Amino acid sequence: MSTENLNKQSLYKTIIDQISGIFMPFISIITAASIIKSIMILLAQSGAVDTASGLYKIFFACGDGFFYFLPFFLCFSAAKQWNCNPYIALLIPVSMLYPDLLAILENNNQLSFLGLPVKSAIYHSSVIPVLLGVGLLHFVEKPCDRFLPEAIRSFLKPVCCMIIVLPVTFLVFGPIGTMIGNVLTKAFFWIYDKNAVLAGAFMGFFIQPMVVIGAHWPLVPVALNNISVNGYDVIMPLLGAAVYGQCGASLAIGLMYKNIEKKRNAFQSSFSCALGVTEPALYTINVPLVRPFIAACIAGSIGGAIIGWAGTHCISFTFPSFLTCVAFFGPGFGEFCIAMILGFILGFVLTILQKKFIILED
């Protein structure tokens, strides 16, 4: 293997190790939140709990609220990972999710900063903006520690850091994830208009890479609008096989591991995928190991093609899982269920077949 390839692999491993190091401290919280949210959805859809009741609203707020305020968890963990002051770092998501500012930036309203346009962006549940912001903070803090007098450093350092970090975050980092999501969404609809099978294969393959970088959220308002205008949506069903592809791949890795703790983490991540939340499997299992992630994406693409061919509809907004299947009743429901099962099987089998090429550090 050439030195260039070794350097590329080393860079990729460093990046993945850093990402895993950020998510690992609260991965159990991600799983817990997904379970709470999924249970509430199931109880509501079965009629056991009224969505207007306090019981539903409080527990759903706990489960869904975690993902809404994910930037806070990411920020604190990234700050510790990158040796930043975590309390200074928290000023980044505090600004990003401030209600007045959030309402402007997530509703395509005009805003400028010193004459420069601040582009609309989705900040709730986002990943890229806050991580890039904390990454920049790491480099800004160093000269502050070096040059600011100790007597005034404690209160002047946060001011100096935010003067630099916040404008760059809102002007540059914020729009990146949204831009990527918008480009892929437009590509999807262009393909869907031409061929629904190809659109399903496209979305089935790319949706989980979009989740990794937080670029999937632009799909949400599109899907919600489709349901509002047409009474159904065709985007969300296409994601089902991709979710269960990651589920199968993570389960396969769990069976391969000998280390009890890592085995348990892989099984928990697989269970979380079954509930419709793939982040635990993505950030700690499949993406770092690369091959399981690719296998799951291929499985999602094949299953997505089947769902696109069947023309499955989603009559109420929800992310696909076995708990939310009721939302996909109607045309193509049988094919949808088959595609999710097939996605799981293919994700599992394609990962097992690559066993000798997957390096597991026990």
Side-chain angles (χ1 to χ4, degrees):
M1 184 178 293
S2 67
T3 303
E4 182 180 355
N5 288 336
L6 285 173
N7 290 336
K8 287 181 179 179
Q9 285 192 359
S10 178
L11 177 61
Y12 177 82
K13 187 177 186 303
T14 299
I15 293 173
I16 294 302
D17 286 346
Q18 291 296 316
I19 294 174
S20 298
I22 292 169
F23 279 89
M24 278 301 295
F26 61 94
I27 201 68
S28 59
I29 308 302
I30 295 179
T31 305
S34 69
I35 293 173
I36 293 172
K37 181 179 177 179
S38 298
I39 289 174
M40 287 298 103
I41 291 173
L42 179 63
L43 291 175
Q45 290 180 342
S46 66
V49 171
D50 186 353
T51 56
S53 68
L55 185 151
Y56 176 85
K57 289 188 177 296
I58 289 173
F59 281 102
F60 188 81
C62 175
D64 193 52
F66 169 83
F67 295 100
Y68 188 92
F69 292 107
L70 180 62
F72 283 97
F73 291 85
L74 287 173
C75 175
F76 193 83
S77 187
K80 296 182 69 175
Q81 179 78 7
W82 296 334
N83 297 317
C84 299
N85 184 314
Y87 299 102
I88 295 177
L90 283 171
L91 291 173
I92 301 172
V94 161
S95 304
M96 290 166 53
L97 297 179
Y98 186 70
D100 289 349
L101 190 56
L102 196 68
I104 294 172
L105 295 177
E106 293 197 355
N107 289 285
N108 295 314
N109 294 322
Q110 297 297 317
L111 185 70
S112 64
F113 177 83
L114 298 178
L116 298 172
V118 181
K119 294 184 178 181
S120 295
I122 295 175
Y123 287 107
H124 73 270
S125 308
S126 62
V127 175
I128 291 179
V130 70
L131 291 183
L132 291 178
V134 176
L136 176 60
L137 177 64
H138 169 78
F139 294 101
V140 174
E141 275 198 64
K142 289 184 177 180
C144 289
D145 289 331
R146 181 177 179 183
F147 296 111
L148 289 177
E150 187 174 353
I152 59 174
R153 186 183 302 157
S154 61
F155 64 86
L156 197 56
K157 176 181 171 181
V159 175
C160 293
C161 288
M162 289 304 105
I163 286 175
I164 297 172
V165 173
L166 286 183
V168 176
T169 298
F170 282 100
L171 291 170
V172 181
F173 299 156
I176 289 178
T178 300
M179 178 187 68
I180 295 173
N182 287 337
V183 168
L184 290 174
T185 300
K186 290 179 180 178
F188 161 76
F189 279 110
W190 182 85
I191 297 173
Y192 195 87
D193 289 339
K194 302 292 183 181
N195 189 310
V197 174
L198 286 178
F202 174 88
M203 188 56 71
F205 188 90
F206 284 105
I207 184 59
Q208 292 305 313
M210 290 171 69
V211 171
V212 171
I213 61 175
H216 62 301
W217 291 106
L219 294 174
V220 173
V222 176
L224 287 170
N225 182 70
N226 288 342
I227 294 171
S228 175
V229 174
N230 304 320
Y232 65 89
D233 169 61
V234 296
I235 297 177
M236 302 311 293
L238 301 177
L239 315 185
V243 170
Y244 280 85
Q246 300 295 333
C247 181
S250 183
L251 178 63
I253 293 299
L255 295 175
M256 292 181 196
Y257 267 127
K258 295 180 180 178
N259 181 283
I260 298 300
E261 183 178 350
K262 291 187 177 182
K263 182 183 288 287
R264 181 169 57 246
N265 179 49
F267 288 152
Q268 288 177 346
S269 298
S270 181
F271 179 67
S272 180
C273 287
L275 297 177
V277 180
T278 57
E279 282 85 351
L282 290 174
Y283 294 121
T284 63
I285 307 294
N286 296 343
V287 173
L289 295 175
V290 185
R291 290 179 181 274
F293 179 62
I294 295 174
C297 288
I298 293 172
S301 182
I302 294 171
I306 295 172
I307 296 169
W309 169 76
T312 306
H313 291 177
C314 177
I315 58 175
S316 65
F317 179 81
T318 184
F319 287 99
S321 76
F322 76 88
L323 293 178
T324 60
C325 278
V326 65
F328 302 90
F329 280 143
F333 176 71
E335 292 87 345
F336 172 75
C337 293
I338 291 172
M340 289 207 301
I341 295 171
L342 181 62
F344 174 83
I345 293 173
L346 287 176
F348 181 88
V349 171
L350 291 176
T351 301
I352 291 292
L353 290 176
Q354 300 180 88
K355 181 176 181 179
K356 65 179 181 180
F357 301 108
I358 298 174
I359 301 175
L360 301 178
E361 298 178 357
D362 284 322

